[in-house]
Amino acid sequence: MKSFSDQQKGSLLAFVAVMFITPDSLFIRLSNVDTWGLVFYRGAIPFFTVLIGMLIIYKLNFFKMLLTSGRHGLIYIITFSITNITFVVSIQNTNVANTLVMIAMAPMLSAILGAIFLKEMPDSKTWIAIGITFMAAVYIFYDSLKLGSIYGDILGFVTALGLAVGAVTIRSAKKKNLVPAAVVGKLFVAIFAMFFIESYVLADLDLFIVPLMCVMCVAIPFVLVTIAPRFIPAEEVNLFFLLETIIGPFWVWMVIKEQPSIETIHGGAVIILTIGIHSFLKLKKS
């Protein structure tokens, strides 16, 4: 990747990350593990998987990278942990559509925070892409939006804000490797879930589905998404992640025949086209 520009590196990392994430909702539907059990395993398995990988690659330098990440590492540990937890609690306390629309605000929040703290003002193309994709997300979930618990809605917004703060934090520490901080964040998520989990038992297909989901849809993407903002602005990284909202339902459709709504198809086409055009223009410029 040495011959790639920063724009190409960041876009590729973000795109590959979201492609690994897309079957996530399918695996969740196929598993029979309770919510907090999933949160626990989605924290514990990626923690051990990435930790072992990092120790093999970097050996004791892993701990040096963690300690030298300083305040950026601490902020990322906190935001990464909170985001993983608030997403689950939000869905438990409000309508799923409310949570997903809130999360669709992440690129917009990233752009605002990046402009304030990093003095990286998004260009007009990025603002237009953010606006179009957000409105498409609202269109997709409009019929499902309901007056849910204000507590759950607020936690959905906190999740979006956490994604934005995390991406901006990585962007502000381009020369630091914050993957070790993300590993610690996953440990905190697993520990938090232990206070609520009812059973640690994995039976039948869950013995295969849960570990596969945790490695493919959680461990690999969180490493890639922790690296991507070092190369492209935070809002561009979070734009890519709106693709998961669209592609995920199609995996469910193909495997368990749960057909996506016409709004998902229309809005999804708009989101994919918008992100495709935006990425093409940015890559062409780079």
Side-chain angles (χ1 to χ4, degrees):
M1 290 181 67
K2 289 184 179 179
S3 60
F4 288 10
S5 67
D6 281 356
Q7 185 70 42
Q8 291 171 324
K9 291 177 185 176
S11 297
L12 180 61
L13 287 168
F15 179 74
V16 173
V18 80
M19 287 301 104
F20 274 108
I21 290 174
T22 53
D24 196 23
S25 55
L26 172 63
F27 286 134
I28 290 174
R29 294 294 298 275
L30 292 174
S31 71
N32 294 304
V33 183
D34 68 276
T35 300
W36 286 109
L38 277 177
V39 175
F40 170 77
Y41 284 113
R42 288 165 69 93
I45 293 177
F47 165 72
F48 285 111
T49 302
V50 181
L51 176 63
I52 292 169
M54 293 289 286
L55 289 175
I56 292 173
I57 296 170
Y58 296 105
K59 299 181 174 58
L60 293 180
N61 281 334
F62 168 83
F63 299 101
K64 182 179 179 181
M65 286 190 294
L66 179 61
L67 294 174
T68 56
S69 61
R71 71 178 188 279
H72 294 103
L74 182 60
I75 293 171
Y76 194 61
I77 289 171
I78 294 171
T79 56
F80 192 75
S81 302
I82 290 175
T83 301
N84 277 262
I85 295 167
T86 54
F87 174 71
V88 175
V89 181
S90 174
I91 287 179
Q92 285 184 325
N93 287 275
T94 190
N95 194 36
V96 173
N98 292 34
T99 300
L100 295 177
V101 167
M102 288 293 183
I103 290 174
M105 295 177 66
M108 192 181 306
L109 294 170
S110 298
I112 294 169
L113 292 175
I116 294 172
F117 294 103
L118 304 181
K119 309 304 179 187
E120 287 186 347
M121 185 62 69
D123 57 25
S124 57
K125 294 188 289 291
T126 301
W127 279 119
I128 291 171
I130 289 171
I132 292 174
T133 52
F134 177 69
M135 293 307 297
V138 172
Y139 169 74
I140 291 170
F141 298 115
Y142 181 76
D143 287 341
S144 300
L145 290 172
K146 298 175 183 176
L147 184 61
S149 163
I150 187 66
Y151 172 66
D153 293 344
I154 289 173
L155 287 179
F157 179 78
V158 170
T159 302
L161 184 60
L163 290 170
V165 172
V168 170
T169 300
I170 297 167
R171 182 70 176 163
S172 67
K174 295 180 186 179
K175 296 182 179 180
K176 296 179 180 179
N177 188 338
L178 296 187
V179 175
V183 172
V184 174
K186 278 296 181 185
L187 174 62
F188 286 174
V189 170
I191 292 173
F192 184 85
M194 290 173 67
F195 290 97
F196 304 96
I197 191 171
E198 295 178 2
S199 173
Y200 294 95
V201 176
L202 293 179
D204 302 324
L205 285 177
D206 287 335
L207 285 168
F208 303 97
I209 291 173
V210 173
L212 178 62
M213 171 181 61
C214 291
V215 174
M216 186 174 82
C217 302
V218 182
I220 295 173
F222 96 64
V223 171
L224 297 178
V225 80
T226 303
I227 299 172
R230 294 165 63 182
F231 301 106
I232 58 175
E235 66 275 6
E236 293 184 29
V237 175
N238 282 328
L239 264 178
F240 276 98
F241 277 78
L242 292 181
L243 291 173
E244 195 274 334
T245 307
I246 309 311
I247 301 174
F250 282 91
W251 279 108
V252 176
W253 178 32
M254 286 188 290
V255 176
I256 60 178
K257 310 304 179 184
E258 184 178 297
Q259 187 170 349
S261 67
I262 192 67
E263 289 83 5
T264 298
I265 295 171
H266 290 162
V270 171
I271 289 175
I272 290 172
L273 185 62
T274 302
I275 294 175
I277 293 173
H278 177 265
S279 299
F280 172 76
L281 293 173
K282 297 291 284 189
L283 289 170
K284 184 179 179 181
K285 183 179 178 181
S286 69

